[in-house]
Amino acid sequence: MEITTAVRRNDLLGELPPKSLELLTAEGRLRRLAKGERLFAEGERATIVYVLASGSVRLFRSDHGDREAVLHMVRPGELFAEVVLFESDVYPVTAEAREDSEVVEIPAARVHTLLEDESFRRDFLATVMRKVRFLGRQVYVLSSCDVRERLVRLLEERYGHRAVYEMDLTKREVAAAIATTPETLSRVLRRMEADGTLSWKGTTVRLTAATPR
């Protein structure tokens, strides 16, 4: 995939005017990852921000017992590791490809240099403010929707509206994606199976028309 096309799919960077987007991607590089390949590790020195062009990447943390806590499943078009731009010089999580994937690498130093230019800075801050408003709406969704509703939203956003889904996410990954714990998700799934609104067998999820949207 062409670098500019991939970055344009991001809901933050894709809002940049064409000239600013071209400046941002001038030093970008497309990198291919094999399934299971690690992109960066928690605590590693951070110099690059990423946009996922294709595939999927999981972000997780590990405790001292090597138990993993999946924090987010990155989908195509998403920007990640942006913390290195303003908050930290190390990666706070580990990133690993869940399948064969492609990422656009953008040097953080490039972004910092561009931010010294008044025109680019104005364009970039305008997109940041739009992102802040979007995140505010997302917080409202998370606070006003229960786990059942967030699960259905995730299924429809990731796979489209349908009655049967073939899952490429584990239940633990789904729990992380909808901001709940695996234990809470399991309880909700049991209740949904009991009332006949959902069936999750293996990798197949079936929903009925009665499920809230």
Side-chain angles (χ1 to χ4, degrees):
M1 180 181 292
E2 199 266 336
I3 289 176
T4 302
T5 300
V7 175
R8 190 176 286 117
R9 295 172 64 189
N10 176 253
D11 57 6
L12 172 61
L13 302 180
E15 295 292 326
L16 288 170
K19 181 180 178 180
S20 291
L21 183 63
E22 182 179 348
L23 288 170
L24 180 68
T25 58
E27 295 183 11
R29 184 173 77 96
L30 191 66
R31 176 176 171 182
R32 291 178 172 82
L33 302 171
K35 179 179 180 180
E37 185 175 347
R38 184 159 292 185
L39 184 59
F40 54 79
E42 180 180 352
E44 185 178 300
R45 183 170 178 270
T47 59
I48 297 173
V49 296
Y50 300 89
V51 174
L52 183 62
S54 65
S56 62
V57 169
R58 68 189 187 109
L59 305 181
F60 64 93
R61 286 178 175 165
S62 302
D63 63 16
H64 296 298
D66 291 329
R67 291 177 299 183
E68 296 177 357
V70 178
L71 303 180
H72 185 58
M73 302 299 301
V74 184
R75 293 181 288 180
E78 282 193 68
L79 174 74
F80 62 106
E82 68 273 23
V83 65
V84 309
L85 293 178
F86 305 111
E87 296 183 36
S88 176
D89 59 358
V90 298
Y91 293 115
V93 297
T94 298
E96 183 178 277
R98 293 191 67 258
E99 58 187 291
D100 292 347
S101 305
E102 292 180 312
V103 296
V104 175
E105 299 182 332
I106 301 174
R110 173 66 174 174
V111 181
H112 290 148
T113 298
L114 288 172
L115 286 172
E116 296 177 3
D117 177 81
E118 182 180 352
S119 177
F120 181 88
R121 183 169 63 249
R122 184 174 57 250
D123 291 340
F124 187 82
L125 291 178
T127 63
V128 168
M129 291 308 299
R130 284 192 288 269
K131 181 67 171 181
V132 168
R133 289 193 291 270
F134 168 78
L135 291 175
R137 293 193 295 270
Q138 291 296 94
V139 169
Y140 172 77
V141 169
L142 287 176
S143 63
S144 62
C145 296
D146 62 19
V147 173
R148 178 185 296 221
E149 291 172 309
R150 299 204 299 268
L151 171 61
V152 174
R153 282 177 179 267
L154 172 69
L155 293 173
E156 293 188 350
E157 289 174 0
R158 187 175 180 89
Y159 306 105
H161 180 56
R162 60 186 66 176
V164 180
Y165 300 89
E166 286 301 323
M167 302 295 293
D168 61 350
L169 300 176
T170 66
K171 291 179 181 178
R172 180 174 293 275
E173 290 168 341
V174 168
I178 62 175
T180 192
T181 65
E183 294 76 16
T184 298
L185 177 62
S186 293
R187 289 194 296 271
V188 170
L189 290 175
R190 286 196 295 270
R191 289 198 295 269
M192 293 179 76
E193 290 180 351
D195 63 26
T197 56
L198 175 145
S199 170
W200 188 326
K201 304 296 183 184
T203 61
T204 302
V205 171
R206 298 178 185 274
L207 295 175
T208 71
T211 305
R213 297 181 59 186

